[in-house]
Amino acid sequence: MVEMRNVNKWYGEFHVLKDINMKVNKGERIVICGPSGSGKSTTIRCINRLEEHQQGEIIVAGTPLTNDVKNIESIRREVGMVFQHFNLFPHLTVLENCCLAPIWVRKKPRKEAMAVAMHYLERVKIPDQANKYPGQLSGGQQQRVAIARSLCMNPEVMLFDEPTSALDPEMIKEVLDTMIELAEDGMTMLCVTHEMGFAKTVANRVIFMDGGQVVEENEPNEFFNNPQSERTQLFLSQIL
Ligand code: ADP
Ligand code: MG
């Protein structure tokens, strides 16, 4: 679904991603963890060209990412993204947030877009909030709307960038439960998260990044019980 080959990126002089190699196969659930500033967000933002890399190759669903606008658009169609701050449009209702891209980008008839949106709002268990505005919802509900909105575009792979970090503790579980259900339905997922419980139970592979590099990668059992690098050991000792 996603392949990164020797991806390098600089912000000005700062070498933020150093030879990133990563392969995400269909149906995999991968967790990326690592200290703040290690390049996790930059890595996943490169996948749908929210950030541009300077060297190496990124291939999404068989299509190599280039500077061509049509190519970027077609890749974005395959990739859903959920951010730490839900990024919903505050002046649109929940339902309108979910229908916007299907209507304007996919050219779906309004009625059909609304039916699809309601289907996914039911899946994230908030169909009753459809006509409210984001500001009237709790953080956990807003994040579930953001997940439903992504699903309305029928993506091949979902990227999550710390989807629970901005939430109050009591709301983290409802968002994680939504993500677990998505995983159980077979969605290909690449998740940056500090929720190590989620990593242990849902991920089939954990990737540890530090200093712009992939330091270590393993299946969760090995990763948590037998971390190889000192940097991974230090990180795990600080968060577990
Ligand atoms: P993480 O998500 O692991 O916390 P990021 O990918 O956000 O890390 O950032 C990696 C590094 O790149 C950090 O040192 C950060 O300060 C820097 N950085 C992130 N975005 C920019 C930017 N737009 N311009 C310059 N530096 C940036
Ligand atoms: Mg980040």
Side-chain angles (χ1 to χ4, degrees), residues 33-47:
C33 61
S36 174
S38 56
K40 306 180 298 295
S41 295
T42 305
T43 300
I44 64 166
R45 290 169 67 87
C46 282
I47 294 170

Side-chain angles (χ1 to χ4, degrees), residues 86 88 126 129 132-145 167-168 170-171 174-175:
F86 333 116
L88 298 171
I126 36 172
Q129 308 294 323
K132 290 194 183 163
Y133 289 88
Q136 298 173 294
L137 271 54
S138 73
Q141 290 174 324
Q142 290 187 56
Q143 192 59 299
R144 285 186 283 152
V145 173
L167 298 175
D168 291 331
E170 72 270 22
M171 293 170 193
E174 65 187 54
V175 170

Side-chain angles (χ1 to χ4, degrees), residues 119-136:
H119 167 78
Y120 286 114
L121 288 172
E122 269 158 33
R123 251 181 78 176
V124 303
K125 303 190 173 71
I126 36 172
D128 46 323
Q129 308 294 323
N131 295 311
K132 290 194 183 163
Y133 289 88
Q136 298 173 294

Side-chain angles (χ1 to χ4, degrees), residues 28-149:
E28 278 201 289
R29 299 138 337 259
I30 294 179
V31 161
I32 303 179
C33 61
S36 174
S38 56
K40 306 180 298 295
S41 295
T42 305
T43 300
I44 64 166
R45 290 169 67 87
C46 282
I47 294 170
N48 61 354
R49 245 320 145 84
L50 293 175
E51 296 288 352
E52 193 178 336
H53 66 288
Q54 281 88 35
Q55 275 179 14
E57 279 178 285
I58 300 178
I59 300 151
V60 182
T63 308
L65 186 55
T66 65
N67 282 324
D68 179 64
V69 176
K70 281 243 151 51
N71 170 283
I72 294 171
E73 277 174 3
S74 86
I75 282 181
R76 284 194 184 148
R77 236 171 288 173
E78 310 295 344
V79 180
M81 179 137 183
V82 173
F83 304 88
Q84 180 177 3
H85 301 104
F86 333 116
N87 296 11
L88 298 171
F89 292 107
H91 61 294
L92 298 179
T93 65
V94 163
L95 189 61
E96 288 164 346
N97 264 280
C98 291
C99 290
L100 195 64
I103 290 172
W104 293 100
V105 181
R106 287 279 168 92
K107 313 288 182 206
K108 267 208 177 142
R110 188 169 190 85
K111 255 205 159 134
E112 193 187 324
M114 284 171 71
V116 171
M118 284 310 300
H119 167 78
Y120 286 114
L121 288 172
E122 269 158 33
R123 251 181 78 176
V124 303
K125 303 190 173 71
I126 36 172
D128 46 323
Q129 308 294 323
N131 295 311
K132 290 194 183 163
Y133 289 88
Q136 298 173 294
L137 271 54
S138 73
Q141 290 174 324
Q142 290 187 56
Q143 192 59 299
R144 285 186 283 152
V145 173
I147 293 171
R149 179 177 63 173

